[in-house]
Amino acid sequence: FILIIILCAFVDKKLRKYWEDMSTAQKDKYLSDTTLYKDAVEYYNGKLVPLDDDRTFQLLDSLTEFKKIDRLPFYFHVFNQIASKSDGALSEVMGYHCYSIIKKYYVYAFTYFDRADLNKNKLHVLYAMFIAYNYPKKDTDAMKEMIAKDPAAKKWKKIFNEFFAEIDRVHKNK
């Protein structure tokens, strides 16, 4: 039992690591991993421009449907960069991927959104808009209920409320 608690604490702490908090040496070590999704690294290095095409859709799938949890800091960072710059046809598919991230990694995402040093970019509002345009109210209400049951939700109550208020606003104006 004690081992499980220690292991959960270790995993929880490891998952709190964000790309923005890593040193250059840590990032370089991370980027030297040849098993990282190649297009994610190319995008990060400025060699790939996201377009409304299969390659970009595969990149988005890879950033949100990966198996190795230790990839989360890098893939979350790259995904957020793409989301921040997406427009037109590309923005129409972002809701599915934002929904996927929030559903699987809501503690990681909301903790990130709640950081004072990052909150100025209002990334949570962008996620909420993408999700609201792509998912009906019953789905977003179910997501809200699921997240609200987690005791961790109290830590980022303001961001949580802003996120779901934005989803409601978009639903009302659709």
Side-chain angles (χ1 to χ4, degrees):
F1 180 73
I2 293 174
L3 182 61
I4 291 171
I5 293 172
I6 293 169
L7 182 61
C8 288
F10 173 76
V11 169
D12 187 53
K13 186 175 181 178
K14 185 173 180 147
L15 289 179
R16 291 295 189 282
K17 188 85 168 168
Y18 297 101
W19 190 254
E20 293 80 359
D21 299 328
M22 291 183 187
S23 68
T24 302
Q26 289 171 314
K27 289 178 184 179
D28 289 345
K29 181 179 179 193
Y30 211 98
L31 292 168
S32 69
D33 182 346
T34 58
T35 64
L36 283 174
Y37 187 62
K38 181 183 167 209
D39 283 346
V41 176
E42 285 193 16
Y43 176 82
Y44 178 79
N45 288 325
K47 296 178 182 175
L48 175 66
V49 176
L51 302 169
D52 179 19
D53 63 2
D54 287 340
R55 184 176 183 189
T56 299
F57 298 147
Q58 287 175 338
L59 170 60
L60 293 171
D61 288 344
S62 296
L63 296 174
T64 57
E65 302 294 330
F66 55 91
K67 301 284 186 243
K68 290 182 154 185
I69 196 67
D70 65 334
R71 305 298 166 90
L72 185 57
F74 178 63
Y75 288 166
F76 185 70
H77 174 76
V78 171
F79 178 81
N80 289 339
Q81 297 302 307
I82 294 171
S84 299
K85 296 174 182 147
S86 69
D87 59 1
L90 185 57
S91 67
E92 292 175 15
V93 302
M94 295 305 294
Y96 168 78
H97 299 287
C98 290
Y99 187 87
S100 179
I101 286 175
I102 296 298
K103 195 138 184 180
K104 291 181 206 168
Y105 308 112
Y106 65 87
V107 172
Y108 187 84
F110 278 101
T111 301
Y112 180 85
F113 298 154
D114 196 41
R115 289 178 45 168
D117 60 323
L118 301 169
N119 192 15
K120 64 184 179 286
N121 66 14
K122 298 289 184 187
L123 194 57
H124 65 290
V125 174
L126 184 64
Y127 268 66
M129 289 181 352
F130 286 143
I131 290 170
Y133 284 121
N134 287 271
Y135 285 89
K137 184 161 177 41
K138 68 178 181 71
D139 290 347
T140 58
D141 285 350
M143 176 193 282
K144 181 178 182 178
E145 273 184 50
M146 177 195 75
I147 296 170
K149 288 178 185 175
D150 189 321
K154 292 176 183 147
K155 294 178 191 173
W156 17 261
K157 185 176 181 175
K158 181 178 182 267
I159 294 295
F160 175 87
N161 289 335
E162 285 178 12
F163 179 81
F164 285 102
E166 181 62 19
I167 287 176
D168 289 343
R169 186 192 68 75
V170 172
H171 279 149
K172 286 176 186 166
N173 293 321
K174 273 180 106 167

